[in-house]
Amino acid sequence: MVLKKKRNTAKIIVVINIAILVLAAAAIFTIRGIASADDSTVLKNTVVEQDGVKFYLGSEGEFDNTFTGFAPDVKNETVYYVENGIVNGTLNDIIYGEADGEYAWWYIEDSEVTYTDTVAMNKNGWWKITDGRVDFDYTGIAMNKNGWWRITDGKVDFTCNSVEENENGWWKITDGMVDFGYTGIAMNKNGWWRIVDGRVDFTCNSVEENENGWWKITDGMVDFDCTGIAMNKNGWWRIVDGKVDFACNSVEENENGWWKITDGMVDFGYNGIAWNYNGPWYIVDGKVDFDYTGRYDAYDGSAWFIVEGLAYEYKEASLRENIVSIARSCVGVVPYNWGHHSLSPQEGADCSGFVYAVYLAAGIDLKTVSSTSMACLGTSVSLSQAQPGDIVVFKNGGHVGIYIGDGMFIHSVSPGYYVSEGSLDTFVHRYTDIRRVIG
């Protein structure tokens, strides 16, 4: 019985609705010859409203249920989209046709052409609306009430996952939409960018991370040309080709000095001896101490002589062997620098400065950095009597080096070259003396 009552009630409602629609249509179809407000002319080709219903009057001034398209109201203030003669008042769409004397794709809101700037949709996609029309010339980023969208040729590009720009900045796009929730590093055709809250942060000069690593950021962009040391809020980092090298355990430099790197990070807690490709260095609070020259006794029991930050280990060997070992460690590392006497790769030494610095690193102060003075030190010996560690004199004191045995010597030869080995038989200048200053 209950089911039967429900079925009868539904039938009654349907019959009533159909009757109402028939009566409304009949009323409309009888409309003809509506006059203007001053009764001077019959309204034609326009939308009028009667009893809350907006409908279209055709060229004869009569209701035209065959018309579908755009038509203005009586005051020519609003353009409506008419379907079968009726403005239904609920249509929201983008439709092609002629309005205001122009063919375009028009943005319809509640059946009215809406002259606005937004992003709106129809069955074919989402579109950039400029002054009520689809703007096929627009490529950029535009907004509606739902967010900001990447537009290409007037249409939202939902395949876009990149970094794109508009007049307000550069933005992270995810599936066609500006992703204000994104903070990280993202790419476009121009490079990789630091994003904060969806926007490229061009003020960023730091080290930042994404899922692929930690990166040096310069003016908002990953700086793949950077190899050096850079900082962020967590510390100082070793950068190679723009990326933090967490495998680095060495001594590396930047414009502020040379630093002990542990697992890619400057180790400010490190004190002692650390190595890089140039040799061992004396580290104080994570930084090479180029100002220190003297002895250093390490925690592991080893002993070192430090010459301007560069470390030389005292070995259980003769003094001569230590002199030769120190001299050899400078080959190809220490540059020629006239008037200087440093074993540092940054400063360098001339010929006599090199001999002086090597002897000093071995614990002997020659008291002079002059090659002519060195030609008079100690006693003279013949080549057959020469021993590794003796001083070789050329041009009667015009040039000096350190003898290492077997007719070979090490010297700092001339500008543009590093410390090198040479042969007494082939060197351009013949030696004139060999001086012995140690027993």
Side-chain angles (χ1 to χ4, degrees):
M1 292 297 294
V2 174
L3 291 175
K4 186 175 181 180
K5 287 182 179 179
K6 285 185 177 180
R7 190 177 297 114
N8 291 338
T9 300
K11 286 182 178 179
I12 292 171
I13 291 172
V14 170
V15 170
I16 291 173
N17 286 338
I18 292 173
I20 291 172
L21 291 173
V22 169
L23 291 172
I28 292 173
F29 283 124
T30 60
I31 295 172
R32 61 181 65 240
I34 295 179
S36 61
D38 59 4
D39 293 325
S40 61
T41 59
V42 175
L43 298 177
K44 301 176 182 180
N45 302 318
T46 188
V47 173
V48 298
E49 182 175 354
Q50 182 171 305
D51 297 330
V53 178
K54 295 184 179 72
F55 51 91
Y56 177 72
L57 297 182
S59 59
E60 302 298 326
E62 300 177 356
F63 170 68
D64 184 354
N65 68 344
T66 66
F67 179 79
T68 294
F70 295 94
D73 67 354
V74 174
K75 296 181 180 180
N76 207 33
E77 295 177 347
T78 304
V79 176
Y80 294 97
Y81 186 72
V82 180
E83 297 177 277
N84 297 322
I86 301 295
V87 176
N88 70 30
T90 61
L91 179 66
N92 295 288
D93 204 346
I94 298 172
I95 297 175
Y96 183 78
E98 182 183 10
D100 287 340
E102 177 184 346
Y103 281 93
W105 287 85
W106 297 93
Y107 173 49
I108 312 300
E109 192 172 67
D110 296 332
S111 298
E112 297 180 15
V113 173
T114 303
Y115 299 92
T116 187
D117 295 322
T118 187
V119 177
M121 67 174 291
N122 68 1
K123 62 183 179 180
N124 297 314
W126 288 55
W127 306 89
K128 171 66 175 74
I129 306 299
T130 301
D131 196 24
R133 307 157 178 82
V134 173
D135 187 352
F136 292 104
D137 294 328
Y138 186 89
T139 292
I141 296 173
M143 70 170 291
N144 66 6
K145 62 184 179 181
N146 297 314
W148 290 77
W149 305 90
R150 170 60 181 172
I151 312 295
T152 302
D153 297 333
K155 188 175 184 180
V156 174
D157 180 6
F158 288 105
T159 67
C160 180
N161 290 278
S162 182
V163 177
E164 303 292 343
E165 65 176 307
N166 72 352
E167 63 276 9
N168 298 313
W170 289 53
W171 306 90
K172 171 66 176 75
I173 310 298
T174 301
D175 297 335
M177 189 178 187
V178 174
D179 189 351
F180 291 104
Y182 185 90
T183 293
I185 296 172
M187 72 171 290
N188 67 3
K189 61 184 179 182
N190 298 314
W192 290 78
W193 304 89
R194 170 61 178 170
I195 312 294
V196 178
D197 298 332
R199 187 177 185 179
V200 173
D201 179 7
F202 289 106
T203 68
C204 181
N205 290 277
S206 182
V207 177
E208 303 292 341
E209 66 175 307
N210 71 353
E211 63 276 10
N212 298 313
W214 289 53
W215 306 89
K216 171 65 176 74
I217 309 297
T218 302
D219 297 335
M221 189 177 187
V222 174
D223 187 354
F224 291 105
D225 293 329
C226 177
T227 292
I229 295 172
M231 71 170 291
N232 67 3
K233 62 184 178 181
N234 298 313
W236 290 78
W237 304 90
R238 170 60 178 170
I239 311 294
V240 177
D241 297 333
K243 189 175 184 180
V244 173
D245 180 7
F246 288 105
C248 181
N249 289 277
S250 181
V251 177
E252 302 292 342
E253 66 175 307
N254 72 352
E255 63 276 8
N256 299 313
W258 287 54
W259 306 89
K260 172 65 176 76
I261 310 297
T262 301
D263 298 334
M265 189 177 188
V266 174
D267 189 351
F268 291 105
Y270 190 91
N271 291 279
I273 304 297
W275 279 257
N276 69 2
Y277 56 90
N278 291 318
W281 299 90
Y282 177 58
I283 311 294
V284 177
D285 297 332
K287 188 176 183 180
V288 174
D289 186 357
F290 289 108
D291 295 327
Y292 182 70
T293 295
R295 184 184 175 97
Y296 170 71
D297 294 310
Y299 298 113
D300 62 3
S302 61
W304 302 80
F305 191 80
I306 312 300
V307 180
E308 298 176 356
L310 195 58
Y312 301 92
E313 187 175 7
Y314 286 115
K315 299 178 180 178
E316 293 184 3
S318 70
L319 179 58
R320 291 183 177 278
E321 288 174 327
N322 276 330
I323 291 173
V324 172
S325 176
I326 293 169
R328 280 188 167 138
S329 71
C330 298
V331 171
V333 174
V334 177
Y336 181 92
N337 194 354
W338 188 86
H340 290 253
H341 50 86
S342 171
L343 300 183
S344 166
Q346 290 75 42
E347 185 174 351
D350 59 18
C351 65
S352 56
F354 169 69
V355 172
Y356 169 83
V358 170
Y359 267 77
L360 187 62
I364 297 175
D365 187 351
L366 295 178
K367 306 297 185 183
T368 180
V369 292
S370 166
S371 60
T372 55
S373 297
M374 289 180 183
C376 300
L377 292 176
T379 59
S380 176
V381 297
S382 66
L383 180 58
S384 62
Q385 295 173 315
Q387 298 180 39
D390 288 339
I391 299 174
V392 183
V393 180
F394 302 88
K395 300 189 294 182
N396 296 313
H399 185 66
V400 291
I402 296 173
Y403 187 68
I404 60 174
D406 298 324
M408 303 294 290
F409 68 103
I410 296 176
H411 63 153
S412 185
V413 59
S414 61
Y417 292 89
Y418 288 88
V419 169
S420 61
E421 289 189 14
S423 170
L424 294 177
D425 293 333
T426 59
F427 186 52
V428 64
H429 300 294
R430 180 168 175 77
Y431 74 93
T432 55
D433 199 0
I434 296 176
R435 308 299 298 186
R436 179 165 294 160
V437 294
I438 56 178

